[in-house]
Amino acid sequence: MNTLSAPQAILLIGGLTHFAISAMAGYMLYWLRARDLKAAMSPYAIITHRSTLINGCVNIGLAVAIQYTNFIPAIAIGLAAAAVLASMLSDLKNIMNWWKGHTDALAQDSPTGLRMRGLANMLNTIVVFALLYGVARSALVAAGVLPN
């Protein structure tokens, strides 16, 4: 049996949680549409379903990448937790926009909601570039281009 590092476990659990949220959103979307085929659906119904699925795939992909960063455990765990937190904030915002019936979150959202989305975007950017740096550095060290 293969063992998972703590960062990998955090990212895999986060990814699978996204898949579960996506399945529930898809189920709700199906039943809402089945009740009334002519009813207008919030675009955030579809966005929630798709983005949670994508967030799950991203978190699972990051679980593979993080093992090649050679970061110390504390940094790797922090990055994994930040990635899951950011993607969960994104899911929560999309669910809230669906529930509120929004069609354009940037135009219709509150300042707090916009800050929450901005925080999620900032965390995602930091995590992705940190992991890119770690993997690229590890690859360059392995290729003998950089010293160990």
Side-chain angles (χ1 to χ4, degrees), residues 79 121-131:
L79 288 170
N121 292 341
M122 183 183 65
L123 285 173
N124 272 327
T125 302
I126 291 168
V127 167
V128 168
F129 277 98
L131 293 180

Short mmCIF file of all heavy atoms in Angstrom, two decimals, residues 79 121-131:
data_model
loop_
_atom_site.label_atom_id
_atom_site.label_comp_id
_atom_site.label_asym_id
_atom_site.label_seq_id
_atom_site.Cartn_x
_atom_site.Cartn_y
_atom_site.Cartn_z
N LEU A 79 0.66 25.15 1.64
CA LEU A 79 0.22 25.35 0.26
C LEU A 79 -0.99 24.47 -0.06
O LEU A 79 -1.93 24.91 -0.73
CB LEU A 79 1.36 25.07 -0.71
CG LEU A 79 2.47 26.12 -0.73
CD1 LEU A 79 3.66 25.62 -1.55
CD2 LEU A 79 1.96 27.45 -1.26
N ASN A 121 -8.99 33.97 -5.39
CA ASN A 121 -8.15 34.11 -6.58
C ASN A 121 -6.70 34.36 -6.21
O ASN A 121 -5.79 33.81 -6.83
CB ASN A 121 -8.67 35.25 -7.47
CG ASN A 121 -10.00 34.92 -8.09
OD1 ASN A 121 -10.40 33.77 -8.19
ND2 ASN A 121 -10.72 35.95 -8.51
N MET A 122 -6.46 35.19 -5.19
CA MET A 122 -5.11 35.47 -4.75
C MET A 122 -4.43 34.22 -4.21
O MET A 122 -3.28 33.91 -4.54
CB MET A 122 -5.11 36.57 -3.69
CG MET A 122 -3.72 36.97 -3.23
SD MET A 122 -3.75 38.19 -1.90
CE MET A 122 -4.51 37.26 -0.58
N LEU A 123 -5.15 33.46 -3.37
CA LEU A 123 -4.59 32.21 -2.83
C LEU A 123 -4.26 31.23 -3.94
O LEU A 123 -3.19 30.60 -3.93
CB LEU A 123 -5.57 31.57 -1.84
CG LEU A 123 -5.67 32.21 -0.46
CD1 LEU A 123 -6.80 31.57 0.34
CD2 LEU A 123 -4.36 32.12 0.28
N ASN A 124 -5.17 31.08 -4.91
CA ASN A 124 -4.90 30.17 -6.03
C ASN A 124 -3.65 30.58 -6.78
O ASN A 124 -2.83 29.73 -7.15
CB ASN A 124 -6.09 30.14 -7.00
CG ASN A 124 -7.11 29.11 -6.62
OD1 ASN A 124 -6.79 28.07 -6.10
ND2 ASN A 124 -8.36 29.42 -6.88
N THR A 125 -3.50 31.86 -7.04
CA THR A 125 -2.33 32.35 -7.77
C THR A 125 -1.04 32.06 -7.02
O THR A 125 -0.06 31.57 -7.59
CB THR A 125 -2.47 33.86 -8.05
OG1 THR A 125 -3.68 34.08 -8.77
CG2 THR A 125 -1.29 34.40 -8.84
N ILE A 126 -1.03 32.33 -5.73
CA ILE A 126 0.16 32.08 -4.91
C ILE A 126 0.50 30.59 -4.91
O ILE A 126 1.66 30.21 -5.10
CB ILE A 126 -0.06 32.59 -3.47
CG1 ILE A 126 -0.10 34.12 -3.46
CG2 ILE A 126 1.02 32.08 -2.52
CD1 ILE A 126 -0.59 34.73 -2.17
N VAL A 127 -0.49 29.75 -4.70
CA VAL A 127 -0.25 28.30 -4.64
C VAL A 127 0.29 27.78 -5.97
O VAL A 127 1.29 27.05 -6.01
CB VAL A 127 -1.53 27.55 -4.23
CG1 VAL A 127 -1.40 26.06 -4.47
CG2 VAL A 127 -1.89 27.84 -2.78
N VAL A 128 -0.34 28.15 -7.06
CA VAL A 128 0.08 27.61 -8.36
C VAL A 128 1.50 28.05 -8.70
O VAL A 128 2.32 27.23 -9.14
CB VAL A 128 -0.92 28.03 -9.45
CG1 VAL A 128 -0.37 27.75 -10.84
CG2 VAL A 128 -2.24 27.29 -9.26
N PHE A 129 1.83 29.32 -8.45
CA PHE A 129 3.19 29.77 -8.77
C PHE A 129 4.22 29.17 -7.82
O PHE A 129 5.35 28.88 -8.22
CB PHE A 129 3.27 31.29 -8.83
CG PHE A 129 2.83 31.83 -10.16
CD1 PHE A 129 1.55 32.31 -10.33
CD2 PHE A 129 3.69 31.82 -11.24
CE1 PHE A 129 1.12 32.79 -11.56
CE2 PHE A 129 3.28 32.29 -12.48
CZ PHE A 129 1.99 32.78 -12.64
N ALA A 130 3.86 28.97 -6.56
CA ALA A 130 4.78 28.32 -5.62
C ALA A 130 5.06 26.88 -6.05
O ALA A 130 6.21 26.43 -6.05
CB ALA A 130 4.22 28.36 -4.20
N LEU A 131 4.00 26.16 -6.43
CA LEU A 131 4.20 24.78 -6.87
C LEU A 131 4.96 24.72 -8.19
O LEU A 131 5.80 23.84 -8.39
CB LEU A 131 2.86 24.05 -6.98
CG LEU A 131 2.14 23.81 -5.65
CD1 LEU A 131 0.82 23.10 -5.87
CD2 LEU A 131 3.00 23.04 -4.68
#
